[in-house]
Amino acid sequence: MRYFPVFLDTQSLHCLIVGAGEVAARKLELILKSEAKVTVVAPYICNTVAAYADHPQVTLLNRRFEKEDLVTADIAFVATDDEALNADIRKLGEEYNVLVNVVDNTPLCQFITPSIIDRSPITIAMSSGGVAPVLLRYLRQKLESVIPANISLLGRFSEKFRDKVKHTLNGVTARRYFWEDVFDGDIAELVEKGQADKAEAKFEQALSAAAQDNQITGQVYLVGAGPGDPDLLTFRALRLMQKADVVIYDRLVSAPILELVRRDAEKIYVGKQKSHHSMPQDQINELMVSEAKKGNRVVRLKGGDPFIFGRGGEEIQVLLEHGVEFQVVPGITAASGAASYAGIPLTHRDHAQSVTFTTGHLKNGTVDLDWSALASQHRTLVFYMGLTGLPIICKKLIEHGMRPDTPIGLVQQATLPEQRVLTGTLADISDNPATATMQPPTLIIVGSVVSLHQQLDWFTTTALN
């Protein structure tokens, strides 16, 4: 390790910046995120730097650099296009015991500035030693995507209770385990969502239980896994999946998404297929309650969105009855995913001004829907779980006024590499031999928007006609 990472206390730090062009302006803006005093010296001052003339932390000196400028400085950034001057200031820095950074000239730098993710009081700094800045930006983007925007709230929360935990729990190991549980659990989620009062109440309860070696009730997260492509998961869904103690998942949750679940989490399959339930719904409800009562963080992972044909409402009612706390994390519903990846816009000014989501398989096993309402013009229909009832759906829509040549599309394994799309009309789709090869999960889209599939299909699919 050539460059040793150090965080400097900036409350009494004096920073000198030599140069006042746009490059220097970027350094000035970065330093002003701290509490340091900054002196900028340059014969020419650009508009960006000049805008900070009245800033209480900034002193602007509109003249050439003098070596005495280093006398009161602790660190210095040199951002001029005069290479000889840059080298001279670097040597003067050694004479005056001032650490010097010559911007974009690593060999002349006594220190380098890292790539920073600022979530004060949480600050993450990364460096490549100046050899791979593009790779560093790439890694920073990755971290930015997984670190919650409100992690700063969690940092302040930890600061508030740090001494209390220290005095309540004996031993470094006990305190470490306690804080890990807090950061991995629902208390942290409440803090990051700005629900400080609830978070503090649960924190006090958890700390008391830890002091008495008692166990408290866990929490259930109803998480939408989206239509299948793991890239379509929300950041929050991914974080919770990686925090979970127990994951209860459906058949529609794809294998690539399951790979993202925390490695040591218990994974319980409760998938449903037509006429065959791996686990009846009432047993799923009991399982969620019992696992939460054990103190586990339970993720109920559902394909699509929990509140769109996902029985999320039914499951929440049971959790409420048993006093189990819960949160809901929406996901991209199958209709949106399938339509987008098949190049079928659900609404379009020339085709459909509204869209209706409905199920092709009712609770009693029938396909007895309000066909008159569904068959209205200028509307897109999306049928979930309708593959078996496809002939009935087509027949009833025609009987209630839809034109037999109305376009219809079947989208199987939407958003995944195995996606297949079959298009036709209400009159001929059921008789197409390719229809018999379609397998669940398949979504049915009805309406003139389906006619846009050939033109707008951007995703590599197996297209059937």
Side-chain angles (χ1 to χ4, degrees):
M1 183 191 301
R2 179 174 176 181
Y3 295 95
F4 187 77
V6 174
F7 287 85
L8 297 174
D9 184 348
T10 63
Q11 281 190 324
S12 58
L13 190 76
H14 180 204
C15 174
L16 173 68
I17 299 178
V18 182
E22 292 299 333
V23 174
R26 292 197 294 270
K27 293 300 180 184
L28 175 61
E29 290 168 347
L30 180 64
I31 291 295
L32 287 180
K33 292 184 178 181
S34 73
E35 299 177 38
K37 297 292 185 182
V38 187
T39 297
V40 181
V41 56
Y44 164 78
I45 298 176
C46 74
N47 291 335
T48 306
V49 174
Y52 289 95
D54 296 326
H55 194 286
Q57 292 174 237
V58 177
T59 300
L60 296 185
L61 302 178
N62 191 192
R63 58 169 172 75
R64 293 185 63 82
F65 166 80
E66 300 173 1
K67 65 179 182 179
E68 289 76 16
D69 294 326
L70 284 170
V71 172
T72 60
D74 299 302
I75 63 172
F77 289 96
V78 184
T80 80
D81 55 8
D82 186 335
E83 294 184 5
L85 176 61
N86 295 346
D88 287 343
I89 296 175
R90 167 67 170 80
K91 291 178 182 179
L92 285 170
E94 293 180 358
E95 181 180 336
Y96 286 91
N97 292 318
V98 175
L99 292 175
V100 175
N101 174 286
V102 180
V103 179
D104 294 332
N105 193 335
T106 303
L108 286 182
C109 291
Q110 290 174 287
F111 74 96
I112 56 179
T113 52
S115 178
I116 296 172
I117 299 174
D118 185 10
R119 302 282 196 277
S120 297
I122 306 302
T123 305
I124 300 171
M126 300 178 294
S127 171
S128 68
V131 300
V134 175
L135 176 59
L136 201 60
R137 284 197 295 270
Y138 172 78
L139 293 175
R140 178 184 171 182
Q141 290 170 358
K142 288 289 186 182
L143 285 174
E144 290 273 16
S145 70
V146 298
I147 297 172
N150 290 334
I151 196 71
S152 59
L153 298 178
L154 194 56
R156 296 188 185 97
F157 184 89
S158 302
E159 179 184 21
K160 180 176 181 178
F161 288 99
R162 183 172 182 268
D163 288 341
K164 184 168 187 176
V165 172
K166 187 175 181 179
H167 291 115
T168 302
L169 301 180
N170 295 321
V172 174
T173 301
R175 293 194 290 271
R176 177 168 62 85
Y177 285 166
F178 172 76
W179 279 116
E180 286 177 350
D181 285 341
V182 168
F183 296 147
D184 277 340
D186 51 302
I187 295 174
E189 288 292 324
L190 290 170
V191 172
E192 290 167 5
K193 289 174 68 66
Q195 299 179 6
D197 292 342
K198 290 185 67 176
E200 291 188 13
K202 288 185 71 68
F203 184 90
E204 296 285 2
Q205 182 186 8
L207 183 58
S208 176
Q212 302 172 33
D213 198 25
N214 290 336
Q215 194 172 50
I216 61 174
T217 301
Q219 189 167 23
V220 175
Y221 300 90
L222 277 71
V223 176
D229 183 347
D231 284 345
L232 299 180
L233 281 171
T234 63
F235 292 150
R236 188 153 180 262
L238 181 58
R239 290 203 308 271
L240 291 175
M241 287 162 57
Q242 294 177 343
K243 289 181 179 181
D245 300 307
V246 177
V247 176
I248 302 171
Y249 67 98
D250 286 343
R251 180 177 63 92
L252 296 180
V253 177
S254 68
I257 287 177
L258 280 177
E259 286 294 318
L260 299 175
V261 170
R262 192 176 111 190
R263 293 297 178 189
D264 56 346
E266 181 181 3
K267 293 183 274 291
I268 304 174
Y269 175 67
V270 294
K272 303 180 183 69
Q273 299 183 44
K274 180 175 169 55
S275 302
H276 175 72
H277 288 191
S278 175
M279 183 180 292
Q281 186 63 47
D282 58 348
Q283 291 185 26
I284 296 174
N285 298 340
E286 292 173 7
L287 179 63
M288 289 190 299
V289 171
S290 65
E291 291 295 339
K293 293 288 187 181
K294 293 176 186 176
N296 288 322
R297 292 180 292 270
V298 181
V299 165
R300 176 71 173 99
L301 196 58
K302 298 169 172 289
D305 181 275
F307 277 9
I308 300 181
F309 302 115
R311 299 193 178 180
E314 299 173 35
E315 293 177 352
I316 282 178
Q317 288 175 320
V318 174
L319 296 174
L320 286 169
E321 290 171 5
H322 289 83
V324 175
E325 292 196 12
F326 63 88
Q327 294 184 32
V328 181
V329 181
I332 295 176
T333 187
S336 180
S340 297
Y341 275 58
I344 302 173
L346 294 178
T347 61
H348 189 289
R349 286 190 297 176
D350 297 331
H351 296 268
Q353 286 72 54
S354 65
V355 58
T356 298
F357 297 167
T358 188
T359 175
H361 180 71
L362 299 181
K363 190 172 182 178
N364 60 7
T366 69
V367 194
D368 187 14
L369 304 172
D370 186 352
W371 299 109
S372 296
L374 292 175
S376 61
Q377 299 298 313
H378 307 298
R379 171 186 293 181
T380 301
L381 304 178
V382 180
F383 290 87
Y384 287 67
M385 300 166 287
L387 191 57
T388 302
L390 179 62
I392 299 175
I393 291 172
C394 294
K395 177 183 177 183
K396 290 295 184 180
L397 289 175
I398 293 173
E399 285 180 355
H400 286 79
M402 266 199 174
R403 292 167 54 97
D405 61 356
T406 300
I408 182 172
L410 311 181
V411 186
Q412 176 184 310
Q413 296 287 340
T415 76
L416 294 174
E418 301 81 13
Q419 175 176 301
R420 302 171 70 208
V421 179
L422 173 65
T423 59
T425 67
L426 290 178
D428 64 22
I429 192 74
S430 297
D431 296 328
N432 188 330
T435 300
T437 68
M438 302 294 282
Q439 299 292 326
T442 293
L443 215 69
I444 301 172
I445 305 175
V446 180
S448 65
V449 290
V450 177
S451 65
L452 299 172
H453 163 66
Q454 296 294 336
Q455 178 187 359
L456 305 182
D457 183 21
W458 60 271
F459 184 64
T460 302
T461 66
T462 302
L464 307 174
N465 294 301

